[in-house]
């Protein structure tokens, strides 16, 4: 049986790009490095990571990223990892024009279906 752990802290980031080409460059970077990124954050308490392209806004190039952490400690450790990755890849991030809008939330209710493997 799969054990499902509820996230206590959620971080949601919306990233807007001026062009589709810049958004595609960012997506390519995430596709190449996403699994390693997830594994690093999972070690400190990340439960779930979702990377999405927003598609319901015509002419807008937007990505949304959802992080679900087991608690505040995991979130703080995760932020340190994310900041280090951004510093280590500064030249890459400087070449992609983007506007980030982060939001943070504390989970109050969580409805889901448990499933068995």
């Amino acid at each position: 049986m799969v054990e499902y752990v509820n996230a206590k802290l959620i971080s949601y980031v919306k990233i807007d790009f001026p062009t589709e080409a810049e958004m595609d460059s960012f997506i390519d970077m995430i596709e190449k490095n996403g699994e390693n990124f997830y594994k690093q954050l999972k070690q400190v308490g990340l439960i779930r990571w979702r990377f999405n392209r927003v598609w319901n806004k015509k002419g807008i190039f937007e990505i949304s990223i959802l992080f679900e952490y087991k608690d505040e400690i995991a979130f703080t450790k995760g932020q340190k990892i994310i900041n280090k990755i951004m510093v280590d890849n500064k030249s890459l991030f400087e070449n992609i024009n983007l506007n980030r809008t982060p939001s943070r939330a504390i989970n109050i209710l969580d409805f889901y279906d448990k499933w068995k493997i």
Side-chain angles (χ1 to χ4, degrees):
M1 181 186 288
V2 174
E3 180 182 350
Y4 187 86
V5 179
N6 285 334
K8 292 184 181 166
L9 194 79
I10 298 164
S11 176
Y12 178 84
V13 181
K14 183 179 70 87
I15 304 175
D16 298 304
F17 301 87
T19 67
E20 189 169 17
E22 288 175 291
M23 181 184 69
D24 288 343
S25 292
F26 189 79
I27 290 170
D28 287 343
M29 180 201 56
I30 296 296
E31 286 177 338
K32 290 176 186 167
N33 301 299
E35 187 173 351
N36 184 48
F37 177 73
Y38 171 71
K39 286 178 180 178
Q40 288 181 60
L41 291 173
K42 185 177 178 183
Q43 290 178 349
V44 298
L46 182 73
I47 296 169
R48 185 177 190 184
W49 178 54
R50 295 193 64 132
F51 183 81
N52 310 290
R53 177 171 180 183
V54 177
W55 58 270
N56 66 330
K57 295 181 180 179
K58 190 173 183 176
I60 301 294
F61 309 107
E62 190 172 279
I63 296 293
S64 69
I65 305 173
L66 179 75
F67 299 86
E68 294 183 11
Y69 295 95
K70 70 177 186 175
D71 56 27
E72 297 82 0
I73 295 169
F75 169 78
T76 301
K77 289 179 179 180
Q79 290 303 296
K80 289 178 183 175
I81 290 170
I82 292 168
N83 290 337
K84 182 178 181 337
I85 289 169
M86 291 181 77
V87 167
D88 291 348
N89 296 284
K90 185 177 179 181
S91 62
L92 177 66
F93 286 106
E94 287 178 342
N95 290 324
I96 299 175
N97 203 5
L98 57 84
N99 182 29
R100 292 177 349 127
T101 307
S103 297
R104 309 292 188 253
I106 297 171
N107 192 22
I108 296 173
L109 294 173
D110 191 4
F111 297 94
Y112 63 91
D113 290 324
K114 290 183 181 182
W115 60 92
K116 295 180 183 179
I117 293 182

